[in-house]
Amino acid sequence: MVLSEKHRAELNCAIADYLKSSGYTEAFNHFVQEAAVPSDKMADKKINGLLEKKWTSVLRLQKKVMDLESKVSETVREYEGGPTKKERSAESWIPRPPERYCLTGHRMPITRVIFHPIYNVMVSASEDGCMKVWDYESGDFERTLKGHTDAVNDIAFEPTGKTLASCSSDLTIRLWDFVGFECMKTLHGHDHTVSSVSFVPSGDFLVSASRDKSIKVWEVSTGYCTKTLQGHREWVRQAMVSPDGKLIASGSNDHSIRVWEIATKECKVELREHDHVVECVAWAGDNCTPHINEAIQQENPRAAKSEGPFLISGSRDKTIKVYDISTGSCIISLIGHDNWVRQAIFHPSGKFIVSCADDKTLRVWDYKNRRCTKTIAAHEHFVTCLDFHRNAPYVITGSVDQLCKVWECR
């Protein structure tokens, strides 16, 4: 490459400045004389440290080029190895970067994000005490729901999507009419932070978990507490109702998971596989059963098929575990996250597990082969929550960075 006279003169001055500032006096004198560097140019302050600046700029650019080349290679591999447009089905949908929308508006960390079961909207909850409604297809903000006086820790829709439940550190649970967007009822009964809410499939009852170590069952029509389940020795982080509406699974700071029978209030199973706080639990749908059985038999070909029910958990010990509740045993353990696992759910097809963690990533797991198939650097801070749409190719995440992100799947 041939330099212009101007660039050549600038380079000579920069080299001379570097030699002089580094104490190479003899080399400096020879170079100035041989290159005929003008003394007035050497006095120019713009020349000071110019060679070092140029050199570090080149190194930074080289690093950027290498990063871009690796991303291009990964994209090419995904494109060549993935299904064609005609072959793609909901079973193979997984989130791909970059995010489609980045939603801003909350003033404190996001605690929960959920899709509406019918409409093309999502709701986010935050430590700022508010819930916000967004159109996930357009990325538009629609409205804010206010009422709680402290952090909103969890939200849940009943199956028809007409009622939204929210729980808060203000010790209350609120039921919202999602048509008129008004608070219909405020439920009082817990003595400490309410950390989780979950509807039974019929929508007639609501289950809540609290830092007061209890789980409560509420009648939606009256707002009365009909049952209180006690047994955990520490904060109950989450309580989720099974798809058949007969069982509740709860995870706690006492490192245990308990499975309760709603009708009798009895604890059927206590699971102690985690070494730290259990942050989340989620039930497997019926469509997961054949895939989980495949995973079991891959590990042990002689194992008998099980009808479940099956449960998934995520913990601060950085692991994700899958359990067969009929036998009370851990059947799959997934290791890969580098920090607390905040949420883990089954893919709508039942073939994958999707998780998020304080390592700032969103991960997709092929649990049959016990490996992580996709890792996305999702946020600049801890990723606290996620949801996967049951019918549309979208995943949403929320983070301590106060952002919600919408990810398109393909």
Side-chain angles (χ1 to χ4, degrees):
M1 186 172 69
V2 180
L3 293 174
S4 66
E5 284 300 321
K6 182 182 176 182
H7 288 154
R8 189 189 300 275
E10 189 180 79
L11 178 60
N12 286 342
C13 288
I15 293 171
D17 173 71
Y18 173 74
L19 293 172
K20 185 179 181 182
S21 62
S22 300
Y24 305 131
T25 310
E26 193 174 340
F28 167 74
N29 291 330
H30 280 297
F31 182 77
V32 167
Q33 187 176 354
E34 195 166 337
V37 179
S39 57
D40 60 325
K41 290 283 186 184
M42 290 298 301
D44 191 344
K45 289 183 180 179
K46 290 179 184 178
I47 298 300
N48 294 348
L50 183 62
L51 193 65
E52 290 98 325
K53 289 174 190 172
K54 295 279 188 186
W55 182 254
T56 53
S57 296
V58 167
L59 291 176
R60 280 199 301 271
L61 285 170
Q62 279 182 331
K63 187 177 183 302
K64 283 184 180 178
V65 168
M66 289 169 68
D67 289 344
L68 286 170
E69 283 176 345
S70 67
K71 285 179 182 177
V72 168
S73 299
E74 184 183 349
T75 305
V76 168
R77 281 197 304 273
E78 285 180 5
Y79 180 78
E80 290 176 346
T84 64
K85 205 162 189 178
K86 288 181 181 177
E87 292 171 336
R88 280 182 202 139
S89 67
E91 287 194 359
S92 62
W93 282 342
I94 62 170
R96 309 279 183 178
E99 70 273 14
R100 184 172 181 182
Y101 298 114
C102 184
L103 311 177
T104 61
H106 283 292
R107 292 173 286 105
M108 291 184 76
I110 311 296
T111 54
R112 186 69 71 210
V113 286
I114 58 171
F115 285 108
H116 190 278
I118 298 167
Y119 305 130
N120 61 331
V121 295
M122 55 169 277
V123 183
S124 58
S126 168
E127 289 181 15
D128 62 15
C130 297
M131 291 160 284
K132 291 185 182 290
V133 183
W134 316 80
D135 183 322
Y136 63 80
E137 288 187 332
S138 65
D140 293 336
F141 165 73
E142 294 204 350
R143 67 179 65 242
T144 299
L145 302 178
K146 293 181 180 178
H148 286 292
T149 57
D150 208 332
V152 182
N153 298 314
D154 197 13
I155 48 179
F157 279 110
E158 53 85 31
T160 66
K162 292 178 182 176
T163 304
L164 174 72
S166 61
C167 65
S168 170
S169 297
D170 66 11
L171 317 191
T172 69
I173 299 162
R174 286 178 178 256
L175 298 177
W176 304 80
D177 171 15
F178 207 71
V179 178
F181 300 100
E182 296 292 331
C183 179
M184 302 183 295
K185 290 185 182 72
T186 302
L187 314 182
H188 300 270
H190 282 294
D191 300 324
H192 212 317
T193 295
V194 190
S195 47
S196 163
V197 282
S198 171
F199 280 96
V200 300
S202 66
D204 297 332
F205 292 89
L206 180 75
V207 173
S208 63
S210 169
R211 194 172 177 178
D212 65 13
K213 309 174 190 176
S214 75
I215 299 159
K216 291 183 182 289
V217 182
W218 309 80
E219 188 175 33
V220 173
S221 61
T222 62
Y224 293 146
C225 176
T226 59
K227 290 183 174 73
T228 298
L229 313 180
Q230 291 181 313
H232 280 295
R233 290 174 287 283
E234 294 289 344
W235 186 344
V236 187
R237 287 282 173 174
Q238 192 168 31
M240 298 296 286
V241 183
S242 63
D244 63 7
K246 294 178 181 178
L247 303 172
I248 296 170
S250 57
S252 167
N253 277 30
D254 64 16
H255 304 186
S256 77
I257 296 163
R258 287 176 176 248
V259 178
W260 313 78
E261 204 165 59
I262 295 179
T264 62
K265 300 198 298 183
E266 285 182 38
C267 177
K268 287 189 64 179
V269 181
E270 184 177 8
L271 304 165
R272 289 195 159 273
E273 296 289 337
H274 286 295
D275 301 325
H276 209 319
V277 170
V278 181
E279 283 281 343
C280 60
V281 289
W283 291 95
D286 291 340
N287 62 341
C288 299
T289 302
H291 302 294
I292 293 174
N293 276 309
E294 274 186 48
I296 295 169
Q297 290 177 330
Q298 184 153 311
E299 191 85 354
N300 178 11
R302 295 183 180 180
K305 287 189 176 181
S306 173
E307 292 303 313
F310 300 104
L311 184 74
I312 186 174
S313 66
S315 167
R316 291 185 185 179
D317 65 12
K318 309 175 190 176
T319 67
I320 298 163
K321 295 182 185 290
V322 181
Y323 309 88
D324 183 347
I325 301 305
S326 66
T327 60
S329 60
C330 176
I331 52 177
I332 298 168
S333 190
L334 302 173
I335 300 169
H337 277 296
D338 299 322
N339 210 330
W340 297 356
V341 179
R342 299 296 287 269
Q343 194 167 2
I345 58 175
F346 282 97
H347 186 281
S349 70
K351 287 172 63 176
F352 305 106
I353 286 169
V354 187
S355 63
C356 64
D358 281 1
D359 60 10
K360 309 174 188 176
T361 67
L362 173 65
R363 295 183 188 235
V364 180
W365 304 82
D366 170 11
Y367 61 85
K368 179 183 170 183
N369 296 302
R370 288 148 175 90
R371 66 188 182 94
C372 177
T373 59
K374 185 73 179 173
T375 301
I376 298 171
H379 288 266
E380 293 296 317
H381 213 312
F382 304 154
V383 189
T384 55
C385 50
L386 72 97
D387 196 15
F388 206 125
H389 200 286
R390 309 313 294 176
N391 306 306
Y394 293 102
V395 169
I396 47 177
T397 56
S399 168
V400 172
D401 64 14
Q402 305 174 20
L403 304 175
C404 301
K405 292 189 178 184
V406 181
W407 306 85
E408 202 163 10
C409 303
R410 54 186 187 273

